[in-house]
Amino acid sequence: MKRLVGLAGLLVAACSSPERTAAEFAADPEAAVRTAAECDAGARHPDCSAAREGLAEARRRERMDVYARTIGEP
């Protein structure tokens, strides 16, 4: 019986998608926007907060790039 329960646990773990980190979402802002929008619409994702944090970081990086180009930094 314990083997059956263990096997069922492994199957569920294998089928669920791994949670993404804020850094992964920052590297993929389109996925962050998509996931954050789904979360705002009521979907329950385990990585809603990571998507929002990653989106904020991606936007911060974009602002800093614009700032650096404006003042002439390399």
Side-chain angles (χ1 to χ4, degrees):
M1 184 66 174
K2 287 183 181 181
R3 289 183 186 176
L4 183 60
V5 172
L7 180 61
L10 285 175
L11 290 175
V12 169
C15 293
S16 62
S17 61
E19 290 185 31
R20 296 176 70 181
T21 65
E24 291 172 326
F25 278 115
D28 187 4
E30 291 177 6
V33 168
R34 216 173 23 256
T35 303
E38 290 172 3
C39 294
D40 292 342
R44 295 185 183 201
H45 287 284
D47 48 0
C48 287
S49 62
R52 290 183 181 110
E53 289 176 29
L55 183 57
E57 176 62 20
R59 289 178 175 165
R60 184 196 69 79
R61 289 177 186 172
E62 185 178 322
R63 285 191 308 273
M64 291 306 292
D65 288 346
V66 169
Y67 175 75
R69 284 192 307 270
T70 301
I71 63 170
E73 289 186 9

